[in-house]
Amino acid sequence: TGMNGTAIENFVCVIFNVSFMNCTWHVGMTASEDTQYFLYWKTSRKEDFKGCQNYIKDNCGRHTGCRFQNVTIYNKRAYFLVNGSRNGKNIQS
């Protein structure tokens, strides 16, 4: 569901200095200035998703990344979810 071209592109996460992680993405090609994205992540299927507390923003104030601290990833796996909306309408996953 959601308008074509509103999904994020080029999602990347990088862990550095052992416990810090930066995740970034590009805004969808047809995303308007009022589109807002939200990032959640977890390290196992059993735990609850944790939301980003420190977003990186573009000139329009849209979230284009997140800075995480005190990151620990067990079993070399992580699960990420990005969702969002624009004018109360869903964006593409």
Side-chain angles (χ1 to χ4, degrees):
T1 63
M3 185 176 171
N4 287 340
T6 56
I8 65 166
E9 300 175 357
N10 300 321
F11 180 81
V12 176
C13 291
V14 176
I15 297 175
F16 59 98
N17 288 345
V18 181
S19 63
F20 295 93
M21 179 171 69
N22 282 356
C23 296
T24 58
W25 58 85
H26 295 184
V27 170
M29 292 181 353
T30 64
S32 60
E33 290 184 5
D34 66 338
T35 300
Q36 193 57 277
Y37 301 95
F38 302 95
L39 174 63
Y40 304 88
W41 84 291
K42 62 184 180 177
T43 57
S44 78
R45 292 183 182 187
K46 295 179 181 179
E47 71 180 82
D48 293 329
F49 276 103
K50 295 174 246 176
C52 175
Q53 300 296 313
N54 188 14
Y55 281 104
I56 300 164
K57 299 179 182 183
D58 69 7
N59 292 339
C60 297
R62 296 177 292 196
H63 300 159
T64 58
C66 183
R67 293 181 182 100
F68 293 99
Q69 296 179 3
N70 302 320
V71 171
T72 303
I73 297 180
Y74 305 101
N75 300 324
K76 300 180 184 177
R77 289 187 185 217
Y79 302 86
F80 296 91
L81 168 67
V82 178
N83 65 17
S85 65
R86 55 180 264 176
N87 283 330
K89 297 179 183 176
N90 291 338
I91 62 167
Q92 283 183 313
S93 297

